[in-house]
Amino acid sequence: MSFTKWTRVLALILSASIHVVVADHESGANNLLRGIIESERRHKSDADAQSKNVFGHPLEPCSQNGMAKTGFDRSGQCVDQEGDTGSHHICIDLSSTSSNGKDFCEVTGQDNWCAKDMPCHEDTNKQCPVERWCVCQWAFAGYLALADGCNAIQEIECKAVNIKAVEAYEKDKEKYGDALSCLKERCKLKKGDAGMVV
């Protein structure tokens, strides 16, 4: 758990402990725990509700039932999360086939986590294959270069791509112009879409 999340949990505990009247030790602890869980759930829901996709619509889940749960925070969505220095905003369908037959992990030289089973979207006590996954927007840019362009990569799930990726690429077109062009092409973005400033 990140330092920021621990700080938030500690603040919630302190806040909740001030407001909880403890009738007996066991029920008071249960009430406190329920309050913390509910507060975290509300915070997560608020963040997810504010996240937009490249079309300016509510961000759709990247992972779904029957596949491993993705997202920097393992919410199933490519949300913009404090502490996510990799900016895991791009949803790629790792079960799709690229033109060169290689997946994201093979092309970028990472451990082959792309072919592993991880906790399921619908039940983290079970294991499911990695299929649709939120990848780091900076690694995505490198993936394009190493794969020989946009036409050689796996499918992009545009409705699950966070608009923050487009915004970041727009800020440095010299460095990330190819990644921006690929999102425009694959997602069929046009002027007037939320992610398109020009």
Side-chain angles (χ1 to χ4, degrees):
M1 191 177 286
S2 71
F3 177 76
T4 304
K5 192 163 188 171
W6 275 113
T7 305
R8 190 169 60 235
V9 168
L10 182 58
L12 288 169
I13 290 170
L14 292 173
S15 174
S17 63
I18 292 169
H19 294 97
V20 172
V21 176
V22 180
D24 69 72
H25 181 71
E26 188 174 313
S27 67
N30 287 338
N31 287 338
L32 178 61
L33 184 57
R34 271 194 293 277
I36 291 169
I37 291 169
E38 183 56 35
S39 179
E40 279 296 305
R41 193 174 291 139
R42 276 195 310 270
H43 174 77
K44 182 186 160 313
S45 295
D46 290 347
D48 291 350
Q50 295 170 4
S51 296
K52 301 287 183 195
N53 65 25
V54 294
F55 304 109
H57 301 130
L59 186 65
E60 292 189 8
C62 183
S63 58
Q64 298 178 348
N65 290 349
M67 52 182 81
K69 193 171 196 172
T70 189
F72 177 76
D73 63 354
R74 294 302 186 260
S75 66
Q77 292 187 297
C78 304
V79 295
D80 189 41
Q81 182 81 26
E82 185 177 331
D84 179 10
T85 56
S87 303
H88 292 77
H89 296 152
I90 310 286
C91 181
I92 296 181
D93 183 351
L94 297 173
S95 67
S96 65
T97 305
S98 65
S99 66
N100 63 15
K102 294 182 179 180
D103 68 23
F104 178 84
C105 291
E106 292 171 301
V107 172
T108 59
Q110 298 184 36
D111 282 343
N112 198 13
W113 55 262
C114 297
K116 291 184 178 177
D117 287 352
M118 295 188 193
C120 295
H121 181 84
E122 71 279 9
D123 182 355
T124 56
N125 293 314
K126 295 181 180 177
Q127 296 287 303
C128 289
V130 171
E131 291 185 29
R132 290 170 51 167
W133 202 256
C134 298
V135 299
C136 167
Q137 68 192 32
W138 316 117
F140 175 76
Y143 174 45
L144 290 173
L146 293 169
D148 291 328
C150 191
N151 293 327
I153 66 168
Q154 292 174 282
E155 294 300 316
I156 300 170
E157 298 295 333
C158 297
K159 292 178 181 178
V161 173
N162 197 308
I163 195 170
K164 295 292 185 182
V166 173
E167 292 170 357
Y169 293 155
E170 286 279 359
K171 288 179 184 175
D172 193 350
K173 289 181 186 176
E174 185 174 326
K175 189 172 184 179
Y176 300 109
D178 289 341
L180 179 61
S181 294
C182 184
L183 286 180
K184 287 178 182 180
E185 177 186 327
R186 288 285 190 99
C187 297
K188 298 177 178 45
L189 295 176
K190 56 189 180 305
K191 201 175 208 175
D193 286 334
M196 298 300 301
V197 288
V198 291

